Amino acid sequence: PDHFETYQLENYLQQVLRAQGKTEEANEISEKLGNTDKLKKNKEKEASSLLMACLDPSEFFGNLMDPNKEERKEEERTKNSVRASKKKWKEIREERFAFLEKNKESGNKEQ
């Protein structure tokens, strides 16, 4: 329900149905109201982000001019984590498997 009074009436209906022992119907209404709460929170979140965009016009125009900015940032974070992982693996490999590096070097000298 989009309107506050409709929401309140459905909430009262849920309470009455529970008092009458009709829990199945009350649960259906409860789920509907729960979904409404989620939608309301999403709308509030959108409204607050729009408000912040209005307060910071550079952010708004930045997103308008570059809609894939968030995707690129996520890709960059992924690349950085992969690089860090590879670097860490090289350190571990050198520390724990130094004999492999020695075998590799000795194989190159023989050729």
Side-chain angles (χ1 to χ4, degrees):
D2 291 330
H3 198 267
F4 174 74
E5 291 175 355
T6 307
Y7 180 82
Q8 282 297 111
L9 289 173
E10 286 188 354
N11 196 18
Y12 293 144
L13 177 61
Q14 173 196 357
Q15 292 173 6
V16 169
L17 288 172
R18 287 196 193 282
Q20 292 177 353
K22 300 178 181 179
T23 56
E24 190 174 316
E25 292 90 348
N27 288 339
E28 288 178 18
I29 292 175
S30 178
E31 287 178 21
K32 184 178 178 183
L33 292 176
N35 291 337
T36 302
D37 288 340
K38 289 177 186 176
L39 290 173
K40 187 186 290 186
K41 287 178 184 177
N42 286 342
K43 285 182 182 179
E44 289 173 359
K45 187 177 177 182
E46 286 180 18
S48 67
S49 66
L50 288 175
L51 177 62
M52 292 305 293
C54 290
L55 294 176
D56 185 11
S58 63
E59 174 96 14
F60 174 73
F61 288 116
N63 287 335
L64 185 64
M65 297 298 285
D66 189 9
N68 298 329
K69 182 177 182 180
E70 292 299 320
E71 288 179 21
R72 278 202 325 281
K73 283 183 180 180
E74 183 62 32
E75 288 175 7
E76 190 64 31
R77 283 190 286 264
T78 303
K79 287 179 184 178
N80 288 339
S81 67
V82 167
R83 285 184 194 128
S85 176
K86 285 181 178 180
K87 183 177 180 181
K88 188 66 177 173
W89 167 243
K90 286 180 182 179
E91 291 173 7
I92 292 170
R93 188 179 68 197
E94 289 172 358
E95 180 181 309
R96 294 186 183 170
F97 306 109
F99 64 92
L100 293 175
E101 291 295 322
K102 290 178 186 176
N103 289 342
K104 184 178 174 183
E105 290 172 7
S106 65
N108 289 339
K109 288 179 182 178
E110 293 174 4
Q111 293 176 355

